[in-house]
Amino acid sequence: RGKKAFIAGVADDQGFGWAIAKCLAEAGAEISLGVWVPALNIFETSLRRGKFDESRKLSNGSLMEFAHVYPMDAVFDTLEDVPQDVKENKRYAGSEGWTVSECAAKVGKDWGNVDILVHSLANGPEVQKPLLETSRRGYLAAMSASSYSFVSLLQRFGPLMTEGGAAISLTYIAADRVIPGYGGGMSSAKAALESDTKVLAYEAGRKYGVRVNTISAGPLGSRAAKAIGFIDDMIRYSYENAAMKKELAATEVGNVATFLLSPLASAVTGQTVYVDNGLSIMGLAM
Ligand code: NAD
């Protein structure tokens, strides 16, 4: 049977989450999405109106289908965690059951179990501020949305996962090298995510027989990256300095994700795998 993959962090066809969905679909997996609540309406409307049809095309000519599209906000674990103003916010009031635990419960009800878990989301409200100017609130918000969200997802989806299943997240080299401009505690959040990848690989490996890896991706002009502000410079820098002189395609990350999530990678866990055209190996580029 086709593997069942839950992908958190898709809201359009431009980011890594979409590319991973597509590569997994090409490999025969069934795909369900967790879409950030404030982005759900426009995503569903665009999907319905055929705006993504071109990007949904699979190599056999059919269109990628989504088994389920769930609203999700990965900064809330249970309904009790949701503050009143969010509950009443009109972008949230229209949908329900979008905390991580409620979303996992729905997936459990609809699918019974899950083979693949993908975390392709991040958010740092103060990303444009240097760390030296980041507030406690902004820093903790970045950690909550970008790091703890993965812990939370694995906590809730782990019990649904089949033995031999696998989880993956997306990280960035700012976790261990200085990338000026990647601020607001986002570098800290990625460092936590990479460290947690090891601990969670051990814990989920022992508890569920599930592997956990993270892909450190090169720059891509996704919606989230455009919000940071310097993505075009990063793409140019990578093109000039990486070992491979080419622009990174989201599919290249999708393909490695599909490998890491497949039995071909059955002994690979706890790893940060660079998919960056080899930019990370360079000291001095000539
Ligand atoms: P993207 O905009 O396609 O994906 C980010 C997603 O996160 C969006 O769909 C957004 O709706 C969702 N999101 C934000 N807050 C959320 C929340 N609280 N709950 C649920 N969903 C939420 O952009 P992307 O660049 O493809 O990002 C995917 C991952 O790749 C992120 O972890 C990002 O840090 C990482 N990454 C990106 C780059 C790059 O250059 N684009 C490089 C390395 C790593």
Side-chain angles (χ1 to χ4, degrees), residues 13 17 59 73 81 87 98 128 132 136 219 234 239 246 281:
D13 58 355
S59 53
D73 193 321
D81 297 330
K87 273 185 192 148
W98 39 257
Q128 296 190 346
L132 204 46
R136 182 181 300 268
M234 296 307 288
Y239 184 86
K246 65 181 180 62
I281 62 168

Side-chain angles (χ1 to χ4, degrees), residues 51-212:
K51 208 182 147 223
F52 302 137
D53 285 2
E54 199 52 43
S55 339
R56 283 172 64 204
K57 272 203 188 116
L58 299 172
S59 53
N60 67 6
S62 70
L63 296 187
M64 167 168 66
E65 297 291 346
F66 301 116
H68 306 277
V69 175
Y70 303 97
M72 197 191 74
D73 193 321
V75 305
F76 301 113
D77 302 313
T78 65
L79 194 53
E80 293 74 66
D81 297 330
V82 184
Q84 202 56 32
D85 61 316
V86 176
K87 273 185 192 148
E88 287 165 6
N89 181 309
K90 72 174 188 320
R91 291 198 292 176
Y92 282 80
S95 27
E96 55 182 36
W98 39 257
T99 65
V100 176
S101 60
E102 293 169 289
C103 183
K106 287 190 205 170
V107 175
K109 194 158 169 276
D110 291 336
W111 261 357
N113 51 46
V114 174
D115 304 291
I116 288 169
L117 174 66
V118 178
H119 174 284
S120 182
L121 62 99
N123 199 11
E126 296 182 16
V127 65
Q128 296 190 346
K129 285 191 191 163
L131 191 54
L132 204 46
E133 291 164 25
T134 296
S135 72
R136 182 181 300 268
R137 198 190 164 99
Y139 182 97
L140 293 176
M143 297 292 287
S144 172
S146 315
S147 317
Y148 188 77
S149 55
F150 184 61
V151 178
S152 176
L153 274 169
L154 199 55
Q155 260 176 35
R156 269 77 188 194
F157 281 79
L160 303 176
M161 290 185 76
T162 48
E163 204 176 329
I168 205 166
S169 68
L170 272 301
T171 184
Y172 186 48
I173 193 174
D176 66 3
R177 305 288 171 82
V178 180
I179 307 288
Y182 197 76
M186 278 307 298
S187 57
S188 331
K190 291 306 191 188
L193 185 66
E194 291 183 17
S195 177
D196 294 348
T197 298
K198 299 178 201 178
V199 178
L200 294 171
Y202 163 67
E203 293 183 2
R206 294 294 173 93
K207 195 164 183 184
Y208 305 119
V210 162
R211 296 178 298 103
V212 182

Side-chain angles (χ1 to χ4, degrees), residues 264-285:
L264 289 175
S266 55
V268 182
T269 193
Q271 301 301 312
T272 297
V273 177
Y274 283 82
V275 183
D276 67 343
N277 283 318
L279 182 62
S280 56
I281 62 168
M282 301 304 296
L284 178 67

